[in-house]
Amino acid sequence: MIQRIITVLFLFCLMTASVHGSIKGNASITENVPILCVTSVISDPVMSPGYPYTVSTGIVNNGSYNAGRFTMYVFLSGDLTLSLDDPFLGSSGLPLLYAGVEKNITITDTFPDSIPDGEYYLIPILEPDNYQVSGSDRLLCPFITTAVTVKTISLPDQEWFHTQIRDELYAMTNKERNQEGHKSLSPDDALQDLAQTYANKMAALRFIGHTDPEGNDQNDRAQNAGYQIFRYHKDGSLWRIGVGENLARMPTGTVAFIGYISPVDGKAIADAIMQSWLLSTGHRKNMMDHYADRIGIGVSFDGHYYYAVQEFF
């Protein structure tokens, strides 16, 4: 928290130096330092808590030296003066920017639910990491911002949303199986109940694992629910034992190695879950089981993560 306050205070000093327009720099400084300027700001005119937002900025290095790593911070303010009470929206660490070069930087994330509805100015601030000069010499360009409205709108009904994710996972699973030459799986109501019950349990207890806290695995849970886990040939010989199970726990927002996952896009969530399964040898093997012909899928949400369960037989 102390570091956060110090950072905002420092950024406030930078903004105070730039908010009134162009600042005259002396030639000795402009000749030997990078000068990073925001040239444009484009954003969604209306932003809503829980929904994706996008901020796109143009950034140019007007100096004669290359700029090393730097960070763009984005704040919302009720006026054109940044203060400690103004909400922080997001940030993006940025790589080297050569002298005289302009880049477009886009931040896409989920709008936080802690910012009240109202009219704001979106204020981007640049903080280079590789040189030390005074605040009045770091921002030698006009102040640029844009107006946005924060407005709360209803989020998708969670039960409907879970159904959408399940439907997407079912369609994706059969598509992947068909591409590998396997027959499509049919939905099985009993497996569906088994999968949904376990997804709900993991979400309620906020854990993930094939063995539950009581020590039961997927076959134990299936038998306890009255599901027959043995399959026989017509001649009475044993053909198959056991239920195959895939599990996933997936957040939304910006996820490492995946990218941004919209919290209000069921297909995007299902696609991220599916990709995580396909990249895992064990999960993919379950999905491609040549002898399986039925499937049940469960989806639940703990407020932060989506839990997905596939049961195969």
Side-chain angles (χ1 to χ4, degrees), residues 2-16 75 82-84:
I2 292 175
Q3 183 179 6
R4 154 76 172 151
I5 293 174
I6 292 174
T7 300
V8 175
L9 280 171
F10 181 63
L11 294 173
F12 176 60
C13 291
L14 296 182
M15 179 53 62
T16 303
F75 292 85
L82 189 63
S83 72
L84 291 174

Side-chain angles (χ1 to χ4, degrees), residues 39-208:
T39 59
S40 63
V41 181
I42 301 173
S43 72
D44 307 308
V46 178
M47 300 181 178
S48 299
Y51 283 82
Y53 75 86
T54 299
V55 177
S56 181
T57 59
I59 300 173
V60 65
N61 181 358
N62 282 332
S64 56
Y65 275 50
N66 299 334
R69 289 193 60 83
F70 58 97
T71 302
M72 181 175 71
Y73 299 88
V74 179
F75 292 85
L76 292 176
S77 178
D79 52 35
L80 290 177
T81 302
L82 189 63
S83 72
L84 291 174
D85 295 327
D86 290 331
F88 170 69
L89 184 59
S91 65
S92 176
L94 305 168
L96 175 72
L97 186 61
Y98 292 100
V101 172
E102 182 171 0
K103 286 186 177 180
N104 290 318
I105 305 298
T106 299
I107 297 177
T108 299
D109 211 331
T110 302
F111 196 86
D113 57 10
S114 58
I115 300 178
D117 288 6
E119 304 296 323
Y120 295 88
Y121 290 99
L122 189 150
I123 301 177
I125 302 247
L126 298 177
E127 171 58 17
D129 300 332
N130 68 328
Y131 67 98
Q132 298 294 326
V133 292
S134 66
S136 62
D137 291 320
R138 298 180 91 157
L139 296 173
L140 307 178
C141 46
F143 172 67
I144 294 178
T145 185
T146 190
V148 298
T149 299
V150 176
K151 181 180 180 181
T152 299
I153 60 176
S154 298
L155 292 169
D157 175 77
Q158 203 65 55
E159 184 175 349
W160 171 86
F161 202 46
H162 292 172
T163 300
Q164 182 188 21
I165 296 172
R166 281 196 300 268
D167 290 346
E168 291 288 346
L169 288 174
Y170 176 71
M172 291 176 183
T173 298
N174 279 334
K175 179 180 179 181
E176 293 293 335
R177 284 179 59 88
N178 295 159
Q179 289 176 346
E180 295 292 328
H182 302 299
K183 61 185 177 182
S184 295
L185 300 173
S186 301
D188 183 287
D189 290 341
L191 286 179
Q192 175 83 11
D193 291 342
L194 188 66
Q196 188 59 55
T197 298
Y198 196 50
N200 292 343
K201 184 170 189 173
M202 288 194 298
L205 299 179
R206 295 193 174 185
F207 83 99
I208 184 169

Side-chain angles (χ1 to χ4, degrees), residues 225-267:
Y227 196 85
Q228 174 60 260
I229 67 169
F230 301 96
R231 186 182 296 181
Y232 300 91
H233 291 285
K234 290 182 179 180
D235 63 5
S237 59
L238 185 63
W239 176 25
R240 178 191 179 101
I241 302 176
V243 174
E245 182 176 75
N246 282 347
L247 306 178
R249 178 169 60 184
M250 184 65 62
T252 58
T254 301
V255 180
F257 308 112
I258 294 178
Y260 181 74
I261 304 173
S262 169
V264 291
D265 185 342
K267 187 178 186 306

Side-chain angles (χ1 to χ4, degrees), residues 289-309:
D289 184 351
H290 181 73
Y291 298 102
D293 63 6
R294 63 199 73 175
I295 187 174
I297 300 175
V299 176
S300 194
F301 184 57
D302 71 358
H304 300 280
Y305 293 89
Y306 283 91
Y307 295 78
V309 179

